[in-house]
C-alpha cells in the first residue's frame, strides 16, 4: 500500500476481502428478499385457505355438565352454564362455557347479557350478546319445560377460528340438552 501526502491510502492490488464481502452481502440480500416473497405468498395462500375453511356452519349438541343457575334470577347476580359438546356423529369435540348476567328481571322474562366460549379440538370460538330469558321466577323448571333459543354474535376465536365472525344460536331443547349452530363468515 502506498500513501501520498494529503491522500487516503489505496490498495495497489484489488482488496479481495472487500470485494467478496460486498458480493456476499448482495447475494444474502437477494436470498432474503426471495425468501420474504416466498413466505408472503405462502402466508397469503394459507390465509385464503383459512378463510374458506372458516366460512362454514358448525352443528353441535350439548349436554349440561355443570351450572350455578339460581332458582330465581336476580338482576346483577351472575351465573354460568357448562356443556360438553359433540358433533353429529356423537364424537366429543369440546366444551361450551357461558357466563351470564341478568340486567332486568320481570314477571315473565329477564334480559340477560352473556358471553360464550366454545373450546373445540381445532380452536376456540367466542360469542356475546343479550337475550330475553323466559321464566325468570323459576329458572330450573323440571316439569312443563318450554324449549327456547337465543342468538349471539361471534366475536372471534383462535386456531382454525382466528378472526371468525358470524352468529351462534343455542336451542335449549330440554333442561340439560341443547343444540348449537354456529354460522361463520
Amino acid at each position: 500500500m502506498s500513501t501520498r501526502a494529503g491522500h487516503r491510502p489505496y490498495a495497489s492490488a484489488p482488496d479481495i476481502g472487500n470485494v467478496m464481502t460486498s458480493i456476499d452481502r448482495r447475494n444474502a440480500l437477494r436470498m432474503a428478499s426471495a425468501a420474504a416473497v416466498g413466505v408472503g405468498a405462502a402466508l397469503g395462500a394459507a390465509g385464503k385457505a383459512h378463510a374458506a375453511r372458516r366460512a362454514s356452519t358448525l352443528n353441535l349438541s350439548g349436554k349440561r355438565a355443570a351450572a350455578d343457575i339460581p332458582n330465581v334470577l336476580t338482576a346483577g347476580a351472575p351465573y354460568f352454564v357448562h356443556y360438553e359438546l359433540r358433533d353429529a356423529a356423537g364424537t366429543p369435540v369440546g366444551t361450551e362455557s357461558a357466563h351470564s348476567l341478568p340486567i332486568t328481571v320481570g314477571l315473565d322474562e329477564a334480559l340477560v347479557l352473556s358471553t360464550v366460549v366454545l373450546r373445540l379440538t381445532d380452536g376456540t370460538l367466542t360469542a356475546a350478546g343479550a337475550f330475553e330469558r323466559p321464566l325468570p321466577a323459576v329458572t330450573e323448571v323440571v316439569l312443563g319445560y318450554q324449549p327456547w333459543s337465543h342468538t349471539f354474535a361471534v366475536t372471534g376465536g383462535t386456531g382454525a377460528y382466528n378472526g371468525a365472525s358470524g352468529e351462534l344460536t343455542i336451542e335449549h331443547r330440554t333442561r340439560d340438552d341443547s343444540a348449537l349452530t354456529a354460522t361463520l363468515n
Side-chain angles (χ1 to χ4, degrees):
M1 238 194 262
S2 66
T3 59
R4 287 190 267 176
H7 292 288
R8 294 184 344 197
Y10 62 92
S12 57
D15 187 353
I16 301 297
N18 286 337
V19 171
M20 291 304 289
T21 302
S22 65
I23 291 173
D24 289 344
R25 285 183 188 149
R26 235 179 283 134
N27 285 337
L29 287 172
R30 285 183 188 136
M31 289 172 47
S33 295
V37 168
V39 167
L43 289 175
K48 286 180 183 176
H50 176 70
R53 191 172 54 246
R54 220 178 40 220
S56 62
T57 300
L58 297 174
N59 293 304
L60 306 171
S61 61
K63 185 77 167 169
R64 187 188 296 186
D68 74 346
I69 302 173
N71 290 331
V72 178
L73 288 185
T74 304
Y79 64 91
F80 81 92
V81 182
H82 182 78
Y83 287 86
E84 299 295 327
L85 299 176
R86 297 184 178 274
D87 63 12
T91 305
V93 293
T95 61
E96 173 213 342
S97 296
H99 296 271
S100 302
L101 177 67
I103 300 301
T104 61
V105 178
L107 295 176
D108 57 352
E109 63 186 28
L111 178 63
V112 178
L113 292 177
S114 191
T115 58
V116 177
V117 177
L118 302 181
R119 288 179 184 89
L120 305 171
T121 53
D122 57 350
T124 62
L125 266 175
T126 57
F131 60 91
E132 292 180 350
R133 183 187 171 115
L135 305 171
V138 182
T139 58
E140 294 296 282
V141 177
V142 177
L143 300 174
Y145 180 85
Q146 296 293 317
W148 63 288
S149 68
H150 47 108
T151 301
F152 300 93
V154 172
T155 57
T158 64
Y161 309 103
N162 190 25
S165 63
E167 74 180 26
L168 171 67
T169 301
I170 301 175
E171 298 176 45
H172 297 280
R173 296 176 174 170
T174 69
R175 180 179 172 269
D176 293 324
D177 297 302
S178 66
L180 289 82
T181 304
T183 305
L184 305 176
N185 301 329

